[in-house]
Amino acid sequence: MLNVPPQAFPAPSSQQRVAAGGRAKVPLKPGRSLMDWIRLTKSGRDLTGLKGRLIEVTEDELAKHNKKEDCWICIRGFVYNVTPYMEYHPGGEDELMKAAGADGTDLFDQVHRWVNYESMLKECLVGRMAVKPIAAPKGMLPEKKVLGASARDLTPSYDWFQTDSLITIVIYTKQKDMNAELVIVDCQDKRLRGEIIVDDHSYLVEVDLDHAVQEDVAVNIAEKVGKVEIILKKKDNIHWKMLGQALESHNTFIKRTERGLFYRKCKLVSKTEVTHDTKLLCLMLPRSTHLCVPIGQHVYLKQTIAGTEVVKPYTPVLPFLPLDFKEPPRHDGAHVYLMIKIYSCGLFTQALDHLQIGDYISVSNPEGNFKKSQVQTSEDLFLLAAGTGFTPMVKLLNFALTEVGCLRTVRLIFFNKTEDDILWRNQLEQLALKSERFEVQFILSQPTKDWVGKQGKISSSLLSEFVKRSRKDSKVLICICGPTPFTEQGVQYLKDLGYSQEEIHTFTA
Ligand code: FAD
Ligand code: NAP
């Protein structure tokens, strides 16, 4: 029996109902939650109508299945009968119907490429498209895949050399402002994966190494010349004849959105209480991973729940808010800290809460579109956060106060239900005492009668009171994060108050 009350979720504001990025949210009927879907897929019912047979699907055949009561969709060459899934789709039936009888890969990638459809829809698999894209056979070096002539000029390249004990892979990124956040390296069981982020593109070195290497991997970055060295220690001091076998995506330079999410298993090393329902999880990256999550970006966590892989986004924070503004905190490349609210009916957070210290969980590469330069060119910074919408503000706040001297005002307006829900209240108050530029305003929607502070919900009047240019023409940046309706309302009020789209950043998946 699955220990999840079927009627209790998704609640009206649950992520299962609320599509990120301002898309329409569609209330699901009772009994149509993700957990209900998982149950149905395990029930043994024939969901494809093909009694478990897999077929080759022609384009003509696919096109015939274009109705709600008979709907097939192709994603990355695989065809799914999504008819039984219609009522369970958090984005609604109409959204799914946009790809009915057609290739829905682009649409899927635009909306939620992080959702693990292979696992969620495995019982709906009809088969493969009859004409499938030709993939480079393993072992052969594929042609570099580039997008357009302008991208070609910027295509990185790589080389490698060895000493008795070391293998060094050098990637020439052709970027002048390379930094540690743009380099993601993993080496697992002889499989090396080195990804370089170049704006919205990704370059990949992906090789099945010729020989075994030791666990620790070093990464050196010559920032100004854009040279990245990945240094591996040989397990045996023998001469390598070749670096290894190229894997399918090796030496490709493609849009980041076209690159599949990569996960590595991280160990849960600590779990501490932040409030009555929110915990700070510390995950340790493998020694063979080089990964720094940039400000404002999130990662995806993946867990198998009742036999189905479920993926949810979370925004890494710092272990605490440093009170020393002089030096940027040393980047601790070994750990990822996550501040996570555990919902009593939450599918994913309940499973997370059951993890024991020492257990492993899969963590993806970071994603997100926030740029530090947005802060560096502003004079006033306003952070509007609701509940765990505070998480992207943590690194941002620290960056603003330690590294951005041109900011005159940094103000956090933090919306919560009750005093007990305020995350890191003490730390924020201490920070406000220490910094002349930083102010924090707590606003409660369900305060007790003892609360003497501000109360209410996000509104035009509250925003006009707290979001103000320090000078008539000062450049402002307003970052906003919380439940989707909170964010959407906030954006609308800000626009009504005369702030432009460029002055507002929303955090979404
Ligand atoms: P679900 O099974 O989806 O929902 C079940 C129950 O949980 C609901 O009945 C309801 O009671 C409750 N619930 C779920 N969502 C909400 C909500 N928004 N408001 C009120 N009740 C709700 N969460 C964090 O805690 N920390 C983060 O750092 C974080 N980062 C995120 C980053 C991004 C880009 C996005 C889009 C979301 C982020 N979230 C974060 C939310 C997170 O991804 C999950 O949606 C959340 O943990 C709930 O998952 P669940 O499966 O447990 O809940
Ligand atoms: P919460 O405790 O339920 O709510 C926090 C505050 O927001 C409360 O004052 C609440 O008022 C208010 N609020 C909730 N829904 C609202 C709405 N529809 N309109 C106006 N105000 C509203 O919040 P939470 O449970 O921590 O949820 C945090 C949300 O942030 C989640 O949805 C999560 O997905 C999102 N998040 C997003 C990111 C990202 O990067 N995109 C990162 C972290 C978290 P009430 O008293 O009315 O409920």
Side-chain angles (χ1 to χ4, degrees), residues 8-18 20-21 34 114 278-279 297-300 305 310-317 338-352 367 388-392 417 481-484 507-509:
F9 70 91
S13 54
S14 159
Q15 287 299 307
Q16 289 176 40
R17 294 170 186 247
V18 179
L34 176 57
W114 49 275
T278 303
K279 295 189 177 165
Q297 296 203 8
H298 50 270
V299 293
Y300 296 97
I305 301 175
V310 184
V311 174
K312 293 262 166 143
Y314 293 95
T315 312
V317 295
L338 298 169
M339 195 186 270
I340 298 186
K341 181 182 275 196
I342 312 296
Y343 294 99
S344 55
C345 306
L347 178 67
F348 200 85
T349 51
Q350 280 298 319
L352 264 184
E367 290 210 333
T388 55
F390 171 60
T391 51
K417 288 185 170 137
C481 189
T484 307
F507 293 96
T508 49

